[in-house]
């Protein structure tokens, strides 16, 4: 009950910010439309809808880091969190509230991206449903990363790191916009260390029905999500005890 | 209602609160007076379980702020220095949020929101976003939120800081209406506020309590004419 009340508050704070709505829902849609239009004129293998839609869906989730980081950092910077620290809310209530409030936004973003992709020629199949389910560990990773950043950074810093650095890392190291194998070498090895490319590969494989190929990526993304989640919890609790 | 024994807060080389001893009776309004950096906010933050004391303890309603935090949190309400409301939520939603945080059922929450709206004259702005309200109304909402739980002790940290004369006067009326019903600790650096509202006043400097008493007792003890003159004399002497 306590956690639900807090989670609903977080969700309202996020969806009532027009910038959040633009970056969370409209921006991935615009990218999908734009790249599909380019694809229609100059076909590129990488931007075929079966490859593009999963990539943009994952890229869109990187904005969850921005939302959660700025929300947590803003609550910390204002006295609002101080007030809530004097209530019976526990660390579990806070962490669950922040994280669970963003899952519906992440899911909605995924649904909108794949629905738009259907309009651009993605084949309707049950794989879309599986791909949406597979978004959960990816969403957990991005949301937890926001909680982690928001627990240690100011609003300005969190906005910069989450808004610029994470979205750029997600763009450059994911293989959405260019094939990482074409770059190869150290760049590809570095990209392989991060979860972004694995998340995109996983979604692409699921959309194409290649579940065996995706199992390694699922493990990698889930491991990253759990690790970042645990670090975020530790940092948030440490902040709470301060 | 509140017994504070040797409460101390050290930040590296700075002692923000230095062995504070104090007893506050049930229903009393106690004002902590001091200039910026006197240790008022640190004292309130420790008493409201936000800040861990370096030494000492305090009992609130019979519960230790060190060992029984959860029980203390059930009976305190805090209106922090900076207005602590959720800006993107309406007044109704802010009140409802706190009802939810205290585990009220839907019906209980609706009744409580109605009760608080009536008590603090918030009815006409219930569906306005908190971020759109003036500073005075935000503070009023902040105090209403602090009183939603089973509040027996209310901490008001600089409640009228930055408000215009009218808003301050209106907020004083709100605080006066609470007097005697619950125990209130108020921090302020406005002499007239402490004088107008409090039963007793504590004057702090550099983390130490220099004087405690009613406004008249403090004025008398310094041989001055006004509380402001008495305050300045006590601050300059550095002792009561």
């Amino acid at each position: 009950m306590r956690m639900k009340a807090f989670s609903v508050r977080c969700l309202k704070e996020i969806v009532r910010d027009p910038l959040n709505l633009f970056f969370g829902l409209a921006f991935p849609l615009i990218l999908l439309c734009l790249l599909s239009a380019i694809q229609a004129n100059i076909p590129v293998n990488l931007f075929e809808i079966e490859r593009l839609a999963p990539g943009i869906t994952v890229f869109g989730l990187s904005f969850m880091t921005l939302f959660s980081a700025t929300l947590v950092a803003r609550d910390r910077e204002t006295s609002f969190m101080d007030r809530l620290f004097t209530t019976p809310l526990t660390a579990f209530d806070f962490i669950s509230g922040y994280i669970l409030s963003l899952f519906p936004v992440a899911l909605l973003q995924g649904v909108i991206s794949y629905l738009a992709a259907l309009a651009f020629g993605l084949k309707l199949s049950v794989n879309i449903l599986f791909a949406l389910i597979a978004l959960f560990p990816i969403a957990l990773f991005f949301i937890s990363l926001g909680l982690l950043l928001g627990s240690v950074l100011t609003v300005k810093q969190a906005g910069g790191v989450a808004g610029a650095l994470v979205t750029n890392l997600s763009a450059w190291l994911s293989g959405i916009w260019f094939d990482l194998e074409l770059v190869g070498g150290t760049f590809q090895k570095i990209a392989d260390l991060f979860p972004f490319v694995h998340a995109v590969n996983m979604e692409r494989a699921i959309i194409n029905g290649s579940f065996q190929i995706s199992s390694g990526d699922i493990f990698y993304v889930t491991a990253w999500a759990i690790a970042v989640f645990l670090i975020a919890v530790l940092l948030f609790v440490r902040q709470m005890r301060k | 209602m509140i017994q504070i024994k040797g409460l101390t807060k050290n930040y590296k080389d700075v002692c923000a609160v230095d062995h504070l001893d104090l007893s506050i009776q049930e229903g009393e309004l106690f004002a902590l007076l001091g200039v910026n950096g006197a240790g008022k906010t640190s004292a309130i933050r420790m008493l409201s379980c936000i800040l861990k004391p370096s030494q000492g303890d305090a009992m609130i309603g019979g519960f230790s702020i060190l060992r029984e935090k959860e029980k203390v949190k059930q009976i305190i309400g805090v209106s922090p220095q900076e207005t602590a409301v959720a800006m993107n939520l309406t007044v109704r939603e802010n009140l409802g949020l706190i009802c939810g945080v205290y585990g009220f059922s839907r019906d209980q929450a609706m009744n409580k929101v109605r009760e608080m709206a009536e008590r603090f004259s918030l009815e006409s702005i219930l569906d306005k976003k908190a971020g759109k309200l003036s500073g005075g109304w935000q503070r009023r909402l902040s105090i209403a939120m602090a009183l939603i739980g089973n509040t027996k002790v209310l901490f008001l940290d600089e409640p009228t800081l930055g408000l215009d004369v009218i808003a301050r006067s209106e907020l004083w009326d709100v605080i006066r209406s609470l007097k005697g019903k619950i125990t209130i600790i108020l921090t302020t650096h406005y002499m007239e506020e402490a004088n107008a509202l409090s039963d007793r006043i504590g004057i702090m400097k550099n983390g130490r309590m220099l004087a405690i008493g009613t406004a008249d007792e403090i004025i008398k003890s310094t041989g001055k004419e006004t509380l402001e003159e008495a305050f300045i004399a006590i601050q300059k002497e550095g002792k009561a």
Side-chain angles (χ1 to χ4, degrees), chain A residues 31-220:
Chain A
L31 282 177
L32 195 64
C33 294
L34 192 68
L35 291 166
S36 295
I38 293 171
Q39 174 71 7
N41 291 319
I42 314 159
V44 182
N45 190 27
L46 192 66
F47 293 157
E48 284 169 0
I49 197 68
E50 291 78 13
R51 301 194 72 191
L52 183 65
I56 285 186
T57 305
V58 171
F59 179 67
L61 289 182
S62 65
F63 291 104
M64 298 300 132
T65 304
L66 176 66
F67 302 162
S68 56
T70 48
L71 181 64
V72 176
R74 195 179 302 121
D75 282 352
R76 272 182 46 237
E77 269 187 25
T78 63
S79 299
F80 190 70
M81 197 172 272
D82 275 358
R83 171 194 287 287
L84 295 179
F85 279 169
T86 65
T87 68
L89 278 179
T90 62
F92 173 81
D93 294 326
F94 275 107
I95 292 160
S96 315
Y98 279 125
I99 288 178
L100 292 181
S101 66
L102 275 157
F103 269 112
V105 182
L107 185 64
L108 182 64
Q109 189 186 66
V111 169
I112 288 174
S113 295
Y114 280 121
L115 279 177
L118 286 173
F120 288 109
L122 183 69
K123 198 178 148 196
L124 179 64
S125 78
V126 73
N127 293 340
I128 294 176
L129 186 65
F130 294 138
L132 285 172
I133 294 168
L135 289 180
F136 279 89
I138 307 171
L140 177 65
F141 164 74
F142 282 116
I143 297 166
S144 300
L145 186 58
L147 179 62
L148 189 158
L149 296 172
S151 298
V152 293
L153 301 176
T154 63
V155 178
K156 203 175 170 187
Q157 290 167 335
V161 173
L165 187 65
V166 174
T167 48
N168 265 290
L169 281 176
S170 173
W172 288 86
L173 303 177
S174 60
I176 302 168
W177 315 115
F178 56 89
D179 196 336
L180 293 173
E181 284 180 12
L182 291 178
V183 184
T186 308
F187 186 85
Q188 192 179 3
K189 282 178 188 163
I190 291 170
D192 277 338
L193 289 175
F194 288 91
F196 310 110
V197 65
H198 299 282
V200 173
N201 288 345
M202 180 173 92
E203 281 291 301
R204 281 176 177 163
I206 292 171
I207 282 292
N208 291 316
S210 314
F211 296 104
Q212 277 190 325
I213 300 169
S214 67
S215 60
D217 292 319
I218 289 173
F219 175 78
Y220 205 87

Side-chain angles (χ1 to χ4, degrees), chain B residues 46-83:
Chain B
M46 284 191 282
L47 292 173
S48 52
C49 305
I50 298 173
L51 198 63
K52 197 176 173 185
S54 307
Q55 275 180 58
D57 195 1
M59 305 295 284
I60 298 182
F63 302 120
S64 161
I65 60 164
L66 291 180
R67 297 181 305 279
E68 294 162 296
K69 272 186 191 176
E70 299 315 312
K71 287 179 179 167
V72 171
K73 286 179 178 183
Q74 291 286 353
I75 59 165
I76 63 166
V78 180
S79 180
Q81 195 173 101
E82 206 183 310
T83 306

Side-chain angles (χ1 to χ4, degrees), chain B residues 155-172:
Chain B
F155 296 100
L156 298 174
D157 195 6
E158 309 266 9
T160 62
L161 187 70
L163 297 187
D164 62 45
V165 179
I166 302 297
R168 180 179 298 174
S169 162
E170 287 174 352
L171 208 59
W172 281 9

